[in-house]
Amino acid sequence: MSRIDRRFAALKAAGRTGLIPFVTAGDPSPQHVVALMHALVDAGADLIELGVPFSDPMADGPVIQHASERAIAKGVGLNEVLGWVARFRQRDAETPIVLMGYLNPVEIHGYARFAQEAVQAGVDGVLLVDCPLEEAAVLQPLREAGLQQILLAAPTTAPVRMAQLCGSAEGFLYYVSFAGITGAAHLSTGDIAARVADIRAHAKAPVAVGFGIRDAASAKAIAGFADAVVIGSALVERLAGATDAEEMTMRVHAFLAPIRSALDAH
Amino acid sequence: MPTIDDFHAWPDVHGRFGNYGGSYVAETLMAPLAELSEAYLRLRDDPEFIAELDRDLKHYVGRPSPVYHAERLSQHVGGARILFKREDLNHTGAHKINNTVGQALVAKRMGKPRIIAETGAGQHGVASATVAARLGLKCVVYMGAVDIERQKINVYRMKLLGAEVVPVTSGSKTLKDALNEAMRDWVTHVADTFYIIGTVAGPHPYPLMVRDFNAIVGREARAQMLEQYGRLPDVLTACVGGGSNAIGLFHAFLNDADVRIVGAEAAGEGIATGHHAASLAAGRPGVLHGNRTYVLCDDNGQITETHSISAGLDYPGVGPEHAFLKDAGRAEYVGVTDDEAMEAFHLLARTEGILAALESSHAVAQAIKLAREYPKDGIVLCNLSGRGDKDVHTIAAREGVEV
Ligand SMILES: Cc1ncc(COP(=O)(O)O)c(C=O)c1O
């Protein structure tokens, strides 16, 4: 059983909704990524999505675009990200880590080389936004090395395709709550609930919902019907400009604590 | 290396040209792309659609465009005959209109009331605003803030045509970023919006569809060559930004093994300086804007900023079919510098009375080089993809002239 599968099994056994924060690796500060990751776990994260910065993040809104630009300007690339994961693993062997990003950095790094280095560092899965199921053959070396490919499903996904995604999902299936880019702020929980219920009936894997979740209230609304919630832009925005580990840790706790309690109270 | 003898058989059903192309997009766009593919592949063989497109190309765009023998230029160069396929004479001044007329008809048939486009030089933006005005569709054009500055005239033209021009300030603030922003708009408005991509890049079916709509250039030119000269040219050349005018000219000739094909990329200040946009000549295979192709990027996979005097060539990727033709050895891709393009611009102006677009001036420079390699009875056919009115300010500024 993979680390991701174990984590979701434990959540289910405890009757809890998972909390998955997203941060862009290297933002706000490349010096404090590992401390930031530990702070996320201390504040209640069940799984961490670590964004690999890319110059052309087509599916991201301004908050994550700018975080990526700042990280790239400080020289952050896959080598640095994998190094941080390895250091995080020295103290935390349990929290699953999914690298989220776009295909080109992995393609240029080399699929086989990436697979080997990522597993060695302690990465559990990848969510490559611009690599849909149809193109996933290139990820075969990742799969063979034991990395799980997290698939996305969207409101536009047609029924036949949704069945395919449900059948192929591993780790968890990430349901994008609305047709749009990250950081946009509309959430219509009624539509999402129906769709997620349908997916959960068909998918072997648990379902996480992301896009548009910004605070305790929106997290709680989703918690009623999803296995986990993903919070990205609102957190990245909150962290922007923090300069030292202490400040980052404070902001992480202030931001995640009410969300964690809302999820646990539901 | 792919061993193939029918270049017209590509792409395959997944939109792949050998190892290149495909659909590398976020899940949300898979459904609208499937819808578009389905609609386009149906229309492509629909006699009514084809007849409507032909009528528009004839009466609105002004096709066919002539093949013109540039005698004074050829004489000046002293080599083979240089012929120009005059896409600069089209309505709105470039080959871009061939594609926008086609895609706008697809949008209309699909019942989409709003179109969006990205633009670099502004030619595609103008061509999109033009067809939107004619069909009564709302039009939003994304343009990099840097390009807005260097192509002011086209920005104003778009506004006169009723389009909204949205400045893009992310990344390098040029064409690639405009494309990102248009994709973000599309993913947010998939239900009512049709995205008219302006070159043979993007996810499937765009490289196929945009190629099809521009392939009229080569089909006409091939027939015109046989009619006017009783033979095919020795060599074709065209400038390559995303690659739409180039594939437009090349496609009809791909299976004519004796016709040599040379694409001219923007070498900017010289490939060795790193300030260029020559993705095929100096890049490597990667994934950008929905397809696998040659890209300019660093070892971290970050797309690098490009440089060209011409906004329309200032792009770090290239259409996947060109990547395929390069690897197959069917076409060569070479760099032409800013200085060489400027020199060709002036030479063409003074010998032929034609102000070429800066993009097209790269092709003219390459045609001049090629003409020197062939005997006097040889023929170089060059795609003159657009006219230079839009570039007058850039050229004046570069030469220190106030206008
Ligand atoms: C006149 C002209 N030629 C060429 C290009 C480059 O595009 P492509 O390589 O798709 O033909 C442009 C782009 O704006 C253009 O305006």
Side-chain angles (χ1 to χ4, degrees), chain B residues 1-7 10 324 328:
Chain B
M1 220 192 243
T3 50
I4 32 157
D5 41 27
D6 182 8
F7 286 98
W10 301 88
F324 170 67

Side-chain angles (χ1 to χ4, degrees), chain A residues 53-58 60 65 69 72 103-105 107-108 111 129-130 132 134-135 138 152 154 156-157 161 179-180, chain B residues 16 22-28 30-31 170-171 176 180 184 187-188 285-287 289 292 297 299-303:
Chain A
F54 180 51
S55 53
D56 292 78
M58 270 186 340
D60 286 301
Q65 283 173 43
E69 284 172 16
I72 291 168
L103 201 53
N104 199 52
E107 167 123 353
I108 296 298
Y111 292 101
V129 179
D130 55 352
E134 283 75 357
E135 304 292 355
V138 292
L152 294 160
T156 52
T157 305
R161 195 178 154 75
Chain B
R16 300 201 183 105
S23 304
Y24 293 89
V25 295
E27 175 61 27
T28 309
M30 291 305 284
S170 56
K176 81 173 176 73
N180 290 334
R184 292 181 187 120
V187 83
T188 309
V287 175
H289 292 150
R292 173 170 289 105
C297 70
D299 290 341
N300 281 331
Q302 311 300 354
I303 303 302

